[in-house]
Amino acid sequence: MALFRDQVVVLRLYPYRDRDRVVHTLSRERGRLGLLARGARSPRGALAPRLMVGNRLEVTYHRGPNASLGTLREVSLVTDHQGLQGDLDAFASLEVMAEVADHLAHEGSPEPALFDALCGGLVALEGGAARRGLVAYLVAALAATGLWGGGGRCEHCGRPWTEEIRELAGEGHALWCGRCAGERGSPFPVGLLLALTRIAAEGVDGRVVLTGEQEGRAIRWLTGRVEGQSRRRLKSVAFLDVL
Ligand SMILES: [Zn+2]
């Protein structure tokens, strides 16, 4: 069995047998990576506190050539989120970030841009502006996986915007011009699209400031695009009170 070393972020945890856990992670080198953590449910073990959703870890694991899971050997903590204690908004945002990465990542191929987007988003949570960090992360995660289409053109006919922009939920939340959409879909605010385009260019440290209402609208749209792509609901979004 081959031995691997990688940086990962914990995305989801599942109980397995009596004492073990299966850990879904996003790894820098291998995209979505499942790891078996032996003894991780033991309350006195050293593993449990390290294996929390959103924690960034340095791991060593064994994996056979045809195995679907690696087996964890060594885990060291790079960063955790103990500092968020009591900040429910930040925890809700953290859950959405992890679930979105779980939906978008592919197995077996490097995902450095998605990995960096996730790490950047998790760092932004610590700064007390969770929603802002979440919006910037969602834009970056969609860009990293080729799903950021919300730039300067209709996603149906490819013409630059000249009139109303409409969001088509049934077309994976694509943005179409009024001519293509007709009466279908719902209006999408031009100002918000411009702001998100700047956030896509400037990242989480940019100077664009959204209102709370704009943040909610952006999160609804961006998570809708993720769901349209993965064809699965994002359960964690229900915990954000933006809907
Ligand atoms: Zn069009």
Side-chain angles (χ1 to χ4, degrees):
M1 272 203 294
L3 187 65
F4 300 93
R5 194 175 178 82
D6 209 340
Q7 283 234 0
V8 304
V9 174
V10 176
L11 304 180
R12 295 196 75 176
L13 297 156
Y14 300 92
Y16 184 70
R17 295 193 184 129
D18 287 344
R19 299 179 59 246
D20 307 338
R21 280 193 194 283
V22 169
V23 189
H24 279 192
T25 71
L26 178 66
S27 73
R28 178 181 275 282
E29 302 300 331
R30 286 168 199 83
R32 191 139 57 90
L33 175 69
L35 295 169
L36 174 63
R38 292 220 164 94
R41 293 171 75 193
S42 160
R44 271 176 296 199
L47 266 180
R50 294 179 201 172
L51 299 177
M52 310 271 271
V53 171
N55 281 6
R56 185 167 168 180
L57 311 170
E58 185 99 38
V59 297
T60 308
Y61 62 95
H62 282 296
R63 190 171 180 180
N66 300 313
S68 60
L69 291 176
T71 302
L72 266 180
R73 290 291 162 195
E74 288 168 38
V75 182
S76 62
L77 185 67
V78 179
T79 48
D80 65 12
H81 300 282
Q82 297 290 327
L84 298 182
Q85 259 175 11
D87 186 343
L88 294 181
D89 212 39
F91 271 113
S93 299
L94 182 152
E95 292 286 340
V96 176
M97 288 180 183
E99 194 180 10
V100 164
D102 198 31
H103 280 219
L104 292 181
H106 299 94
E107 229 162 275
S109 57
E111 304 258 21
L114 184 58
F115 186 85
D116 290 343
L118 181 57
C119 292
L122 292 168
V123 167
L125 294 180
E126 306 283 343
R131 294 294 168 91
R132 179 192 169 85
L134 177 57
V135 169
Y137 161 74
L138 289 169
V139 169
L142 288 173
T145 47
L147 295 172
W148 170 252
R153 289 164 184 280
C154 169
E155 292 181 82
H156 188 60
C157 68
R159 291 192 191 98
W161 307 116
T162 53
E163 46 181 315
E164 178 183 49
I165 302 173
R166 293 184 80 83
E167 174 185 355
L168 280 288
E171 303 286 345
H173 295 266
L175 298 182
W176 290 9
C177 67
R179 199 158 21 166
C180 291
E183 296 299 307
R184 298 171 61 198
S186 53
F188 193 89
V190 180
L192 178 57
L193 184 59
L194 286 174
L196 292 174
T197 305
R198 272 188 60 192
I199 288 172
E202 295 175 7
V204 71
D205 298 321
R207 286 193 286 174
V208 181
V209 178
L210 302 179
T211 65
E213 194 183 325
Q214 285 179 316
E215 281 175 347
R217 182 74 179 87
I219 290 167
R220 279 205 309 279
W221 175 51
L222 295 163
T223 53
R225 281 181 90 98
V226 174
E227 290 179 335
Q229 170 69 17
S230 65
R231 297 178 189 284
R232 283 184 290 158
R233 299 291 295 175
L234 288 164
K235 295 181 189 124
S236 56
V237 174
F239 296 104
L240 288 169
D241 59 350
V242 295
L243 302 177

